[in-house]
Amino acid sequence: VDGMIIAQQYRGKKYAGKLFDYSLNEFTQKMHPVQLQLFTHPENSAAISLYLRRGFVIREWIADKYGPGKHRIKMTKELL
């Protein structure tokens, strides 16, 4: 998955969590990974909170991942 955006009128209604949970469930059932990782913008507090509630851990700050000034936070979740 390369991104997830929830339209403004649907934010705050738990659609992001439902979509994320469904996607994660489908992926893990089919691919059987031992670890998941994702990258998010460090100022996207709603996304970071969502990922933390689902067991992801902040692992690393990656400066300039997508170019100068485009920093990201790497988060992982162990599945074993």
Side-chain angles (χ1 to χ4, degrees):
V1 176
D2 186 19
M4 180 173 77
I5 299 172
I6 303 298
Q8 185 69 38
Q9 68 267 28
Y10 298 109
R11 292 180 189 172
K13 298 180 179 173
K14 307 210 182 277
Y15 288 117
K18 291 175 184 177
L19 178 60
F20 187 74
D21 292 344
Y22 177 82
S23 299
L24 226 56
N25 186 48
E26 288 293 310
F27 178 76
T28 56
Q29 284 185 10
K30 291 177 181 162
M31 302 304 291
H32 310 288
V34 296
Q35 182 190 69
L36 299 171
Q37 73 176 20
L38 58 83
F39 301 90
T40 191
H41 193 283
E43 294 178 9
N44 190 344
S45 59
I48 293 168
S49 178
L50 174 75
Y51 304 144
L52 290 171
R53 286 193 310 271
R54 276 140 176 94
F56 282 80
V57 177
I58 297 172
R59 295 288 181 197
E60 183 179 3
W61 169 275
I62 304 174
D64 305 322
K65 178 168 177 59
Y66 296 113
K70 297 181 180 181
H71 314 305
R72 293 297 181 265
I73 292 175
K74 177 181 176 182
M75 300 180 75
T76 64
K77 179 178 180 177
E78 303 297 326
L79 298 177
L80 289 179

Coordinates of all heavy atoms in Angstrom, one line a residue:
V1 N 0.9 -1.2 0.0 CA 0.0 0.0 0.0 C 0.9 1.2 0.0 O 1.8 1.3 0.8 CB -0.9 0.0 1.2 CG1 -1.7 1.3 1.3 CG2 -1.8 -1.2 1.3
D2 N 0.6 2.1 -0.9 CA 1.4 3.4 -0.9 C 0.6 4.5 -0.6 O 0.3 5.4 -1.5 CB 2.1 3.5 -2.3 CG 3.0 4.7 -2.4 OD1 3.5 5.1 -1.4 OD2 3.3 5.1 -3.5
G3 N 0.1 4.6 0.6 CA -0.7 5.7 1.1 C -2.1 5.4 1.4 O -2.7 4.5 0.9
M4 N -2.7 6.2 2.3 CA -4.1 6.1 2.6 C -4.5 7.5 3.0 O -3.9 8.2 3.8 CB -4.2 5.2 3.8 CG -5.7 5.0 4.2 SD -5.9 3.7 5.5 CE -5.3 4.6 7.0
I5 N -5.6 7.9 2.3 CA -6.1 9.3 2.6 C -7.6 9.1 2.8 O -8.3 8.4 2.1 CB -5.9 10.2 1.3 CG1 -4.4 10.3 1.1 CG2 -6.6 11.5 1.6 CD1 -4.1 11.1 -0.2
I6 N -8.1 9.8 3.9 CA -9.5 9.8 4.2 C -10.0 11.2 3.9 O -9.5 12.2 4.4 CB -9.7 9.5 5.7 CG1 -9.1 8.1 6.1 CG2 -11.2 9.5 6.1 CD1 -9.7 6.9 5.3
A7 N -11.1 11.3 3.1 CA -11.6 12.6 2.7 C -12.1 13.3 4.0 O -12.5 12.7 5.0 CB -12.8 12.4 1.8
Q8 N -11.9 14.6 3.9 CA -12.2 15.5 5.1 C -13.5 15.2 5.7 O -13.6 15.1 6.9 CB -12.1 17.0 4.6 CG -12.2 17.9 5.8 CD -11.1 17.9 6.7 OE1 -9.9 17.8 6.3 NE2 -11.3 18.1 8.0
Q9 N -14.6 15.0 4.9 CA -15.9 14.8 5.5 C -16.1 13.5 6.3 O -17.0 13.3 7.0 CB -17.0 15.0 4.5 CG -17.0 13.9 3.4 CD -16.2 14.2 2.2 OE1 -15.3 15.0 2.2 NE2 -16.7 13.7 1.1
Y10 N -15.1 12.6 6.1 CA -15.2 11.3 6.8 C -14.2 11.1 7.9 O -14.2 10.1 8.6 CB -15.0 10.1 5.8 CG -16.0 10.1 4.7 CD1 -15.7 10.5 3.4 CD2 -17.3 9.8 5.0 CE1 -16.7 10.5 2.4 CE2 -18.3 9.8 4.0 CZ -18.0 10.1 2.7 OH -19.0 10.1 1.8
R11 N -13.4 12.1 8.1 CA -12.4 12.1 9.2 C -13.1 12.2 10.6 O -14.1 12.8 10.7 CB -11.4 13.2 9.1 CG -10.5 13.0 7.8 CD -9.5 14.1 7.6 NE -8.9 13.9 6.3 CZ -8.1 14.7 5.8 NH1 -7.7 15.8 6.4 NH2 -7.5 14.4 4.6
G12 N -12.5 11.5 11.5 CA -13.1 11.5 12.9 C -14.2 10.6 13.1 O -14.9 10.6 14.1
K13 N -14.5 9.7 12.1 CA -15.6 8.8 12.1 C -15.1 7.3 12.1 O -15.9 6.4 11.9 CB -16.5 9.0 11.0 CG -17.1 10.4 11.0 CD -18.1 10.7 9.9 CE -18.6 12.1 10.1 NZ -19.4 12.6 9.1
K14 N -13.8 7.1 12.4 CA -13.2 5.8 12.6 C -13.1 5.1 11.3 O -12.8 3.9 11.3 CB -13.9 5.0 13.6 CG -14.0 5.7 15.0 CD -14.0 4.8 16.1 CE -14.2 5.5 17.4 NZ -13.0 6.1 17.9
Y15 N -13.2 5.7 10.1 CA -13.1 5.0 8.8 C -11.6 4.7 8.6 O -11.3 3.6 8.0 CB -13.6 5.9 7.7 CG -15.1 6.0 7.6 CD1 -15.7 7.2 7.8 CD2 -15.8 4.9 7.4 CE1 -17.1 7.3 7.7 CE2 -17.2 5.0 7.3 CZ -17.8 6.2 7.5 OH -19.2 6.3 7.5
A16 N -10.7 5.5 9.0 CA -9.2 5.2 8.8 C -8.9 4.0 9.5 O -8.2 3.1 9.0 CB -8.4 6.4 9.3
G17 N -9.3 3.8 10.8 CA -9.0 2.6 11.5 C -9.6 1.4 10.9 O -8.9 0.3 10.8
K18 N -10.8 1.5 10.5 CA -11.5 0.3 9.8 C -10.8 -0.1 8.5 O -10.5 -1.3 8.3 CB -12.9 0.6 9.6 CG -13.8 0.7 10.8 CD -15.2 1.1 10.6 CE -15.9 1.3 11.9 NZ -17.3 1.8 11.7
L19 N -10.4 0.9 7.7 CA -9.7 0.7 6.5 C -8.3 0.1 6.7 O -7.9 -0.9 6.1 CB -9.6 1.9 5.7 CG -8.9 1.8 4.3 CD1 -9.5 0.8 3.4 CD2 -8.8 3.2 3.7
F20 N -7.6 0.6 7.7 CA -6.3 0.2 8.0 C -6.4 -1.3 8.6 O -5.6 -2.1 8.2 CB -5.6 1.1 9.1 CG -4.2 0.7 9.4 CD1 -3.2 1.0 8.5 CD2 -3.9 0.1 10.6 CE1 -1.9 0.8 8.7 CE2 -2.5 -0.2 10.8 CZ -1.6 0.1 9.9
D21 N -7.3 -1.6 9.5 CA -7.5 -2.9 10.0 C -7.8 -3.9 9.0 O -7.2 -5.0 8.9 CB -8.5 -2.9 11.1 CG -8.1 -2.2 12.4 OD1 -6.9 -1.9 12.5 OD2 -9.1 -1.8 13.2
Y22 N -8.7 -3.6 8.1 CA -9.1 -4.5 7.0 C -7.9 -4.8 6.1 O -7.6 -5.9 5.8 CB -10.2 -3.9 6.2 CG -10.6 -4.7 5.0 CD1 -11.5 -5.8 5.2 CD2 -10.1 -4.5 3.7 CE1 -11.8 -6.6 4.1 CE2 -10.5 -5.3 2.6 CZ -11.3 -6.4 2.8 OH -11.6 -7.2 1.8
S23 N -7.2 -3.7 5.7 CA -6.0 -3.9 4.8 C -4.9 -4.7 5.5 O -4.4 -5.7 4.9 CB -5.4 -2.5 4.5 OG -6.3 -1.8 3.8
L24 N -4.7 -4.5 6.7 CA -3.7 -5.3 7.5 C -4.1 -6.7 7.6 O -3.3 -7.6 7.4 CB -3.5 -4.7 8.9 CG -2.1 -4.4 9.4 CD1 -1.3 -3.6 8.5 CD2 -2.2 -3.8 10.8
N25 N -5.3 -6.9 7.9 CA -5.8 -8.3 8.0 C -5.7 -9.1 6.7 O -5.2 -10.2 6.7 CB -7.3 -8.3 8.5 CG -7.8 -9.7 8.8 OD1 -7.1 -10.4 9.5 ND2 -9.0 -10.0 8.4
E26 N -6.1 -8.5 5.7 CA -6.1 -9.1 4.3 C -4.6 -9.4 4.0 O -4.3 -10.5 3.5 CB -6.7 -8.2 3.3 CG -8.2 -8.2 3.3 CD -8.9 -9.5 3.0 OE1 -8.5 -10.1 2.0 OE2 -9.7 -9.9 3.8
F27 N -3.7 -8.5 4.2 CA -2.3 -8.6 3.9 C -1.7 -9.8 4.7 O -1.0 -10.6 4.2 CB -1.6 -7.3 4.0 CG -0.1 -7.4 3.8 CD1 0.4 -7.5 2.5 CD2 0.8 -7.5 4.8 CE1 1.7 -7.6 2.2 CE2 2.2 -7.6 4.6 CZ 2.6 -7.7 3.3
T28 N -1.9 -9.7 6.0 CA -1.2 -10.7 6.9 C -1.8 -12.1 6.7 O -1.0 -13.1 6.7 CB -1.3 -10.3 8.4 OG1 -2.7 -10.1 8.7 CG2 -0.6 -9.0 8.6
Q29 N -3.0 -12.2 6.3 CA -3.6 -13.6 6.1 C -3.0 -14.2 4.8 O -2.8 -15.4 4.7 CB -5.1 -13.5 6.0 CG -5.8 -13.4 7.4 CD -7.3 -13.5 7.3 OE1 -7.9 -13.8 6.2 NE2 -7.9 -13.2 8.4
K30 N -2.8 -13.3 3.8 CA -2.3 -13.8 2.5 C -0.8 -14.0 2.5 O -0.3 -14.9 1.8 CB -2.8 -12.9 1.4 CG -4.3 -13.0 1.2 CD -4.8 -12.1 0.1 CE -6.3 -12.2 0.0 NZ -6.9 -11.2 -0.6
M31 N -0.1 -13.0 3.1 CA 1.4 -13.0 3.0 C 2.2 -13.6 4.1 O 3.3 -13.9 4.0 CB 1.8 -11.5 2.7 CG 1.2 -10.9 1.5 SD 1.4 -11.8 0.0 CE 3.2 -11.5 -0.3
H32 N 1.6 -13.7 5.3 CA 2.2 -14.2 6.5 C 3.5 -13.6 6.9 O 4.5 -14.3 7.1 CB 2.4 -15.8 6.4 CG 1.1 -16.5 5.9 ND1 0.0 -16.6 6.8 CD2 0.8 -17.0 4.7 CE1 -0.9 -17.2 6.1 NE2 -0.5 -17.5 4.9
P33 N 3.6 -12.3 6.9 CA 4.9 -11.6 7.3 C 5.2 -11.8 8.7 O 4.3 -12.1 9.6 CB 4.6 -10.1 7.0 CG 3.1 -10.0 7.2 CD 2.5 -11.3 6.8
V34 N 6.4 -11.6 9.1 CA 6.9 -11.7 10.5 C 7.0 -10.3 11.1 O 7.0 -10.2 12.3 CB 8.2 -12.5 10.7 CG1 8.0 -14.0 10.3 CG2 9.3 -11.9 9.9
Q35 N 7.1 -9.3 10.2 CA 7.2 -7.9 10.7 C 6.5 -7.0 9.6 O 6.6 -7.3 8.4 CB 8.6 -7.5 10.8 CG 8.8 -6.1 11.4 CD 10.2 -5.6 11.3 OE1 10.7 -5.3 10.2 NE2 10.8 -5.4 12.5
L36 N 5.9 -6.0 10.1 CA 5.3 -5.0 9.3 C 6.1 -3.7 9.5 O 6.5 -3.4 10.7 CB 3.8 -4.7 9.6 CG 2.9 -5.9 9.4 CD1 1.5 -5.6 10.0 CD2 2.8 -6.3 8.0
Q37 N 6.3 -2.9 8.5 CA 6.9 -1.6 8.7 C 6.1 -0.5 7.8 O 5.6 -0.9 6.8 CB 8.4 -1.6 8.4 CG 8.7 -1.7 6.9 CD 10.3 -1.6 6.7 OE1 11.0 -1.8 7.7 NE2 10.7 -1.3 5.5
L38 N 6.1 0.7 8.3 CA 5.5 1.8 7.6 C 6.3 3.0 7.9 O 7.1 3.1 8.8 CB 4.0 1.9 8.0 CG 3.7 2.1 9.4 CD1 3.8 3.6 9.8 CD2 2.3 1.6 9.7
F39 N 6.0 4.0 7.0 CA 6.6 5.3 7.2 C 5.5 6.4 7.2 O 4.5 6.3 6.4 CB 7.6 5.6 6.0 CG 8.7 4.6 5.9 CD1 8.5 3.4 5.1 CD2 9.8 4.7 6.6 CE1 9.5 2.5 5.1 CE2 10.8 3.8 6.5 CZ 10.7 2.7 5.8
T40 N 5.6 7.3 8.1 CA 4.6 8.4 8.1 C 5.3 9.7 8.4 O 6.4 9.8 8.9 CB 3.5 8.1 9.2 OG1 2.5 9.0 9.0 CG2 4.1 8.2 10.6
H41 N 4.6 10.8 8.0 CA 5.1 12.1 8.2 C 5.1 12.4 9.8 O 4.2 12.1 10.5 CB 4.1 13.2 7.6 CG 4.7 14.5 7.5 ND1 4.8 15.4 8.6 CD2 5.3 15.2 6.5 CE1 5.3 16.5 8.2 NE2 5.7 16.4 7.0
P42 N 6.2 13.0 10.2 CA 6.3 13.2 11.7 C 5.3 14.1 12.3 O 5.1 14.1 13.5 CB 7.8 13.7 11.9 CG 8.2 14.1 10.5 CD 7.4 13.4 9.5
E43 N 4.6 14.9 11.5 CA 3.6 15.8 12.1 C 2.2 15.2 11.9 O 1.2 15.9 12.3 CB 3.7 17.2 11.4 CG 5.0 17.9 11.7 CD 5.1 19.2 11.0 OE1 4.1 19.7 10.3 OE2 6.2 19.8 11.0
N44 N 2.1 14.0 11.4 CA 0.8 13.4 11.2 C 0.4 12.7 12.5 O 0.4 11.4 12.6 CB 0.8 12.5 10.0 CG -0.6 12.0 9.6 OD1 -1.5 12.1 10.4 ND2 -0.7 11.4 8.4
S45 N 0.0 13.4 13.5 CA -0.3 12.9 14.8 C -1.5 11.9 14.8 O -1.5 10.9 15.5 CB -0.5 14.0 15.8 OG -1.6 14.8 15.4
A46 N -2.5 12.1 13.9 CA -3.6 11.2 13.8 C -3.2 9.8 13.4 O -3.6 8.8 13.9 CB -4.7 11.8 12.9
A47 N -2.3 9.8 12.3 CA -1.8 8.5 11.8 C -0.9 7.9 12.8 O -1.0 6.6 13.1 CB -1.1 8.7 10.5
I48 N 0.0 8.6 13.4 CA 0.9 8.0 14.4 C 0.1 7.4 15.6 O 0.4 6.3 16.0 CB 1.9 9.1 14.9 CG1 2.8 9.5 13.8 CG2 2.7 8.6 16.1 CD1 3.7 10.7 14.1
S49 N -0.9 8.1 16.1 CA -1.8 7.6 17.1 C -2.5 6.3 16.7 O -2.5 5.4 17.5 CB -2.8 8.7 17.5 OG -3.6 8.2 18.5
L50 N -3.0 6.3 15.5 CA -3.7 5.1 15.0 C -2.7 3.9 15.0 O -3.1 2.8 15.4 CB -4.2 5.4 13.6 CG -4.8 4.2 12.8 CD1 -6.2 3.9 13.4 CD2 -4.9 4.5 11.3
Y51 N -1.5 4.1 14.5 CA -0.5 3.0 14.4 C -0.1 2.6 15.8 O 0.1 1.4 16.0 CB 0.7 3.5 13.5 CG 0.3 4.0 12.2 CD1 1.0 5.0 11.6 CD2 -0.7 3.4 11.4 CE1 0.7 5.5 10.3 CE2 -1.1 3.9 10.2 CZ -0.3 4.9 9.6 OH -0.7 5.4 8.4
L52 N 0.1 3.5 16.7 CA 0.5 3.1 18.0 C -0.6 2.3 18.7 O -0.3 1.3 19.4 CB 0.8 4.4 18.9 CG 2.1 5.1 18.5 CD1 2.2 6.4 19.3 CD2 3.3 4.3 18.8
R53 N -1.8 2.7 18.5 CA -2.9 1.9 19.1 C -3.0 0.5 18.5 O -3.6 -0.4 19.2 CB -4.3 2.6 18.9 CG -4.4 3.9 19.8 CD -5.9 4.4 19.8 NE -6.5 4.5 18.4 CZ -6.4 5.6 17.7 NH1 -5.8 6.7 18.2 NH2 -7.0 5.7 16.5
R54 N -2.5 0.3 17.4 CA -2.5 -1.0 16.7 C -1.2 -1.8 16.9 O -1.0 -2.8 16.3 CB -2.9 -0.9 15.3 CG -4.4 -0.8 15.1 CD -4.9 0.1 14.1 NE -6.3 0.1 14.0 CZ -7.1 0.9 14.7 NH1 -6.7 1.8 15.6 NH2 -8.4 0.8 14.5
G55 N -0.4 -1.4 17.8 CA 0.8 -2.1 18.2 C 2.1 -1.8 17.5 O 3.1 -2.4 17.7
F56 N 2.1 -0.8 16.7 CA 3.3 -0.3 16.0 C 4.1 0.5 17.0 O 3.6 1.1 17.9 CB 3.0 0.5 14.8 CG 2.5 -0.3 13.6 CD1 1.2 -0.8 13.5 CD2 3.4 -0.6 12.6 CE1 0.8 -1.5 12.4 CE2 3.0 -1.3 11.4 CZ 1.7 -1.8 11.4
V57 N 5.5 0.4 16.8 CA 6.4 1.1 17.6 C 7.2 2.0 16.7 O 7.7 1.7 15.6 CB 7.3 0.1 18.3 CG1 8.4 0.8 19.2 CG2 6.5 -0.9 19.2
I58 N 7.5 3.2 17.2 CA 8.4 4.2 16.5 C 9.8 3.7 16.6 O 10.3 3.4 17.7 CB 8.2 5.6 17.1 CG1 6.8 6.1 16.9 CG2 9.3 6.5 16.4 CD1 6.5 7.4 17.5
R59 N 10.4 3.5 15.5 CA 11.8 2.9 15.5 C 12.9 3.9 15.0 O 14.0 3.8 15.5 CB 11.8 1.7 14.5 CG 11.0 0.6 14.9 CD 11.6 -0.1 16.1 NE 10.8 -1.3 16.5 CZ 10.8 -1.9 17.6 NH1 11.7 -1.5 18.5 NH2 10.1 -2.9 17.9
E60 N 12.5 4.8 14.1 CA 13.6 5.6 13.6 C 13.0 6.9 12.9 O 12.0 6.9 12.3 CB 14.3 4.7 12.5 CG 15.4 5.3 11.8 CD 16.0 4.3 10.8 OE1 15.5 3.2 10.6 OE2 17.0 4.7 10.2
W61 N 13.8 7.9 13.0 CA 13.6 9.2 12.3 C 14.4 9.1 11.0 O 15.6 8.9 11.1 CB 14.0 10.4 13.1 CG 14.0 11.7 12.4 CD1 15.1 12.2 11.7 CD2 13.0 12.7 12.3 NE1 14.8 13.4 11.1 CE2 13.5 13.7 11.5 CE3 11.7 12.8 12.9 CZ2 12.7 14.8 11.3 CZ3 11.0 13.9 12.6 CH2 11.5 14.9 11.8
I62 N 13.8 9.3 9.9 CA 14.6 9.3 8.6 C 14.5 10.6 8.0 O 13.5 11.0 7.4 CB 14.0 8.2 7.7 CG1 14.1 6.8 8.4 CG2 14.9 8.1 6.4 CD1 13.4 5.7 7.6
A63 N 15.6 11.3 8.0 CA 15.7 12.7 7.5 C 15.8 12.6 5.9 O 16.4 11.7 5.4 CB 17.0 13.4 8.0
D64 N 15.0 13.4 5.3 CA 15.1 13.6 3.8 C 14.7 12.3 3.1 O 15.2 12.1 2.0 CB 16.4 14.1 3.4 CG 16.8 15.4 4.1 OD1 15.9 16.2 4.3 OD2 18.0 15.6 4.5
K65 N 13.9 11.4 3.6 CA 13.6 10.2 3.0 C 13.0 10.4 1.5 O 13.3 9.7 0.6 CB 12.6 9.4 3.8 CG 12.2 8.1 3.1 CD 11.4 7.1 4.0 CE 10.9 5.9 3.3 NZ 12.0 5.1 2.7
Y66 N 12.2 11.4 1.4 CA 11.6 11.7 0.1 C 12.1 13.0 -0.6 O 11.4 13.6 -1.4 CB 10.1 11.7 0.2 CG 9.5 10.3 0.6 CD1 8.9 10.1 1.8 CD2 9.6 9.2 -0.3 CE1 8.4 8.9 2.2 CE2 9.1 8.0 0.1 CZ 8.5 7.8 1.3 OH 8.0 6.6 1.7
G67 N 13.3 13.4 -0.2 CA 13.9 14.6 -0.7 C 14.2 15.6 0.5 O 13.8 15.3 1.6
P68 N 14.9 16.6 0.2 CA 15.2 17.6 1.2 C 14.0 18.1 2.0 O 13.0 18.6 1.4 CB 15.9 18.7 0.4 CG 16.4 18.1 -0.9 CD 15.4 17.0 -1.2
G69 N 14.1 18.0 3.3 CA 13.0 18.5 4.1 C 11.8 17.5 4.2 O 10.9 17.8 4.9
K70 N 11.8 16.4 3.5 CA 10.7 15.5 3.5 C 11.0 14.3 4.4 O 11.3 13.2 4.0 CB 10.3 15.1 2.1 CG 9.9 16.2 1.3 CD 9.5 15.8 -0.1 CE 9.1 17.0 -0.9 NZ 8.7 16.7 -2.3
H71 N 11.0 14.6 5.7 CA 11.3 13.6 6.7 C 10.2 12.6 7.0 O 9.0 12.9 6.8 CB 11.7 14.3 8.0 CG 12.6 15.4 7.8 ND1 13.8 15.3 7.2 CD2 12.5 16.7 8.2 CE1 14.4 16.5 7.2 NE2 13.6 17.4 7.8
R72 N 10.5 11.4 7.5 CA 9.5 10.4 7.9 C 9.9 9.7 9.2 O 11.1 9.7 9.5 CB 9.4 9.4 6.8 CG 8.7 9.9 5.5 CD 7.3 10.5 5.7 NE 6.7 11.0 4.5 CZ 6.7 12.2 4.1 NH1 7.3 13.2 4.8 NH2 6.1 12.6 3.0
I73 N 8.9 9.1 9.8 CA 9.1 8.3 10.9 C 8.9 6.8 10.5 O 7.9 6.6 9.8 CB 8.2 8.6 12.1 CG1 8.5 10.0 12.6 CG2 8.2 7.6 13.2 CD1 7.5 10.5 13.7
K74 N 9.8 6.0 10.8 CA 9.6 4.5 10.5 C 9.0 3.9 11.7 O 9.5 4.1 12.9 CB 11.0 3.9 10.2 CG 10.9 2.4 10.0 CD 12.3 1.8 9.7 CE 12.2 0.3 9.6 NZ 13.6 -0.2 9.3
M75 N 8.0 3.1 11.5 CA 7.3 2.4 12.6 C 7.2 0.9 12.2 O 7.1 0.6 11.0 CB 5.9 2.9 12.8 CG 5.9 4.4 13.2 SD 4.3 5.1 13.5 CE 3.9 4.4 15.1
T76 N 7.4 0.0 13.2 CA 7.3 -1.4 12.9 C 6.4 -2.1 13.9 O 6.1 -1.6 15.0 CB 8.7 -2.1 13.0 OG1 9.2 -2.0 14.3 CG2 9.7 -1.4 12.0
K77 N 6.0 -3.3 13.5 CA 5.2 -4.2 14.3 C 5.6 -5.6 14.1 O 5.6 -6.1 12.9 CB 3.7 -4.0 14.0 CG 2.8 -4.9 14.9 CD 1.3 -4.7 14.6 CE 0.5 -5.6 15.5 NZ -1.0 -5.4 15.2
E78 N 6.0 -6.3 15.2 CA 6.4 -7.7 15.1 C 5.2 -8.5 15.1 O 4.3 -8.3 15.9 CB 7.4 -8.0 16.2 CG 8.6 -7.2 16.3 CD 9.5 -7.3 15.1 OE1 9.6 -8.4 14.5 OE2 10.2 -6.3 14.7
L79 N 5.1 -9.6 14.3 CA 3.9 -10.4 14.3 C 4.2 -11.8 14.8 O 3.2 -12.6 14.9 CB 3.4 -10.5 12.8 CG 3.0 -9.2 12.2 CD1 2.6 -9.4 10.8 CD2 1.9 -8.6 13.0
L80 N 5.4 -12.1 15.3 CA 5.6 -13.5 15.8 C 5.3 -13.5 17.3 O 5.3 -12.7 18.0 CB 7.1 -13.8 15.6 CG 7.5 -14.1 14.2 CD1 9.0 -14.5 14.1 CD2 6.7 -15.3 13.6

